[in-house]
Amino acid sequence: VEVRHIMISLPLPADAGEEFPLLVKNAEKDIDSIKLLIESGADFTTIANSMSDDILTKNRGGNLGWISESTTMFTGAVEEYAQAFNDSCFTNEIGSLLKLKSGDGYHLVQITKKSPLVRKVKIRIKKITS
């Protein structure tokens, strides 16, 4: 899938200390407000350029490009976020706006394109030692 995103970043819990729960709450409110703006007709690219905390993609309108099912981006150090991020991107339709959390913060992700479905098979080889 090809996706773009807007990120509201969060510090590491250890760095934020007791302020962390409030920062999480504020980041979630910010991403919810951004989602409402876009659902009301605001341009995703313009909002990404001005509001995203992701310095690598904000000047490209939040474009992350094509990702594969094995991609683990924007996950911080938390495996559960990686799986949820990918599952959401691959199970939703083009144009969907998804609010996702990662180890880096909150993301508003939009699916912009999908490649045709291809049946995949995972092969595992077990080495037998004697």
Side-chain angles (χ1 to χ4, degrees):
V1 294
E2 184 181 57
V3 295
R4 59 186 178 176
H5 83 136
I6 297 166
M7 181 176 77
I8 303 299
S9 62
L10 287 168
L12 294 172
D15 294 341
E18 59 189 52
E19 292 288 317
F20 188 72
L22 179 60
L23 294 172
V24 170
K25 188 176 179 179
N26 288 339
E28 187 172 16
K29 281 183 185 177
D30 289 348
I31 212 73
D32 288 338
S33 296
I34 292 168
K35 185 176 185 201
L36 283 174
L37 279 173
I38 292 170
E39 288 173 339
S40 299
D43 180 60
F44 192 103
T45 301
T46 303
I47 300 294
N49 287 342
S50 64
M51 300 182 85
S52 182
D53 289 335
D54 183 357
I55 60 171
L56 297 175
T57 65
K58 73 182 293 173
N59 293 329
R60 299 188 317 243
N63 187 8
L64 292 167
W66 287 90
I67 62 170
S68 67
E69 290 171 290
S70 61
T71 301
T72 55
M73 59 177 47
F74 299 104
T75 58
V78 184
E79 179 65 29
E80 72 183 82
Y81 293 137
Q83 193 63 52
F85 193 99
N86 284 0
D87 289 350
S88 296
C89 290
F90 284 92
T91 58
N92 283 282
E93 299 300 317
I94 293 172
S96 297
L97 285 173
L98 313 169
K99 180 177 93 173
L100 302 173
K101 190 169 191 267
S102 76
D104 298 317
Y106 279 95
H107 307 260
L108 183 62
V109 177
Q110 186 176 48
I111 301 163
T112 56
K113 293 180 187 171
K114 280 188 155 188
S115 66
L117 294 177
V118 176
R119 184 170 182 222
K120 297 178 181 120
V121 180
K122 201 179 248 188
I123 298 174
R124 188 171 167 179
I125 299 173
K126 184 176 181 181
K127 184 177 180 181
I128 300 174
T129 57
S130 50

